[in-house]
Amino acid sequence: AGTLGSAAAAKGRYFGAAVSAQYLGEAGYVSTLDREFGSVTPENEMKWDAVEATRGTFAFGPADRIVAHAQGRGMSVRGHTLVWHSQLPDWVAGLGASDLRSAMNHHITQVMQHYKGKVLAWDVVNEAFQDGGSGARRSSPFQDKLGNGFIEEAFRTARAADPAAKLCYNDYNTDGVNAKSNAVYAMVKDFKARGVPIDCVGFQSHFNSASPVPADYRANLQRFADLGVDVQITELDIEGSGSAQATAYGNVVGACLAVSRCTGITVWGVTDKYSWRSAGTPLLFDGSYTKKPAYDAVLAAL
Ligand code: XIL
């Protein structure tokens, strides 16, 4: 049998996993990662609180270990994430507007320049829109102090910092056509019309029984692709088990492959035992790194 990474590569896509530096010493974790995946996303190590906990002091050790591991094995890297309201150090929220603008641009520039040439795509801005029907921006230090223009500014700064990196907007509950995805769609359309640099949109795709794979998932990916951006499934996990979970995973892979600009899929972890959804079993390998039915369904769909 093939592997997820090689099967996806044969279709011109990558298949990746979120990785935590703390597990890179665990043999089963590393052998599964290295055998199956062609891309990695640091699960927490590139977030603002990890790399710039103190203003102006950058710490890249754990993220560097993940990037070095990936580079040594020919895997690509997704950078996650530069501007996000969560896992943000308190000092950022305490700044006034002009200081915050400088800090945001400095952060983007320093982190992207550190990884220049090593990160294929960056989630420049993560989760800037509210859930629900309003289509409004989410309250955050960036939104509240800098206004709607902070996203555009972040993308322009990112393009200047590493012109070769793909620049993505990433969010959740935008997987189907709904008020939130409509709001993101309008923003991307506006960016493309005005020449604001954006290359890709990430769809986190955290699914469970309350939030299943939407029936219009493929159509939603396609409408974004039709704006002239790549789309990527960036944080896929699906609660459940057995054949229902396997079917849902197969549907997600099928939706991506049906969209020519869907360039890759990342699952949000290697093994159920380290999933951020610690109560569930949402990934492709169980706690012993045994392939689950969901794994077989993904491989069959690729
Ligand atoms: C999660 C990580 O998986 C956890 O380890 C951490 O405690 C919290 O963040 N959306 C995102 C990811 O963009 O960064 C989040 O990752 C999951 C939701």
Side-chain angles (χ1 to χ4, degrees):
T3 65
L4 302 173
S6 60
K11 295 283 171 68
R13 272 79 170 187
Y14 66 80
F15 202 97
V19 166
S20 292
Q22 62 189 308
Y23 305 130
L24 288 177
E26 187 186 323
Y29 185 92
V30 172
S31 64
T32 305
L33 172 66
D34 290 354
R35 187 185 72 233
E36 297 287 344
F37 296 97
S39 168
V40 300
T41 304
E43 186 170 353
N44 290 296
E45 290 80 352
M46 288 180 171
K47 293 173 181 175
W48 197 316
D49 64 352
V51 299
E52 194 189 5
T54 302
R55 187 173 186 180
T57 302
F58 288 83
F60 293 114
D64 283 354
R65 287 198 283 284
I66 295 174
V67 171
H69 185 93
Q71 287 210 300
R73 287 152 191 84
M75 301 169 177
S76 58
V77 178
R78 293 195 84 261
H80 176 80
T81 175
L82 296 165
V83 180
W84 187 27
H85 66 277
S86 187
Q87 293 177 272
L88 187 68
D90 288 343
W91 67 262
V92 181
L95 300 176
S98 76
D99 236 9
L100 178 62
R101 174 174 286 113
S102 315
M104 180 185 83
N105 289 324
H106 187 65
H107 179 81
I108 293 168
T109 302
Q110 293 300 305
V111 177
M112 288 187 73
Q113 287 186 347
H114 181 79
Y115 290 109
K116 203 168 189 164
K118 299 180 178 177
V119 170
L120 184 65
W122 275 101
D123 291 330
V124 178
V125 175
N126 195 33
E127 301 182 353
F129 286 82
Q130 272 180 32
D131 286 320
S134 71
R137 299 293 185 83
R138 175 197 296 275
S139 171
S140 72
F142 308 105
Q143 180 66 35
D144 299 348
K145 291 174 186 163
L146 306 182
N148 284 350
F150 89 87
I151 302 183
E152 171 172 352
E153 180 154 354
F155 275 83
R156 291 189 187 279
T157 299
R159 182 66 96 219
D162 182 358
K166 301 293 186 193
L167 307 181
C168 303
Y169 177 78
N170 192 55
D171 214 327
Y172 69 95
N173 284 352
T174 50
D175 312 297
V177 176
N178 57 42
K180 187 175 178 181
S181 67
N182 287 346
V184 176
Y185 180 88
M187 178 189 75
V188 175
K189 188 174 183 185
D190 171 60
F191 279 15
K192 295 300 286 186
R194 291 191 298 112
V196 179
I198 184 167
D199 305 304
C200 36
V201 177
F203 297 84
Q204 292 186 11
S205 304
H206 295 293
F207 297 124
N208 57 28
S209 54
S211 176
V213 181
D216 54 8
Y217 193 43
R218 182 200 56 75
N220 190 50
L221 298 176
Q222 186 66 58
R223 72 170 175 151
F224 278 87
D226 290 342
L227 291 175
V229 289
D230 288 341
V231 296
Q232 301 173 344
I233 294 168
T234 52
E235 304 183 16
L236 177 63
D237 51 19
I238 307 177
E239 286 280 8
S241 61
S243 63
Q245 184 182 48
T247 299
Y249 262 105
N251 289 342
V252 168
V253 173
C256 179
L257 291 184
V259 176
S260 60
R261 292 196 77 147
C262 183
T263 55
I265 300 172
T266 298
V267 288
W268 204 241
V270 175
T271 163
D272 281 343
K273 72 176 167 177
Y274 298 142
S275 169
W276 73 305
R277 296 175 145 184
S278 51
T281 55
L283 294 169
L284 301 179
F285 294 89
D286 72 12
S288 307
Y289 301 100
T290 300
K291 296 169 181 172
K292 295 166 58 182
Y295 173 95
D296 298 327
V298 168
L299 192 59
L302 281 170

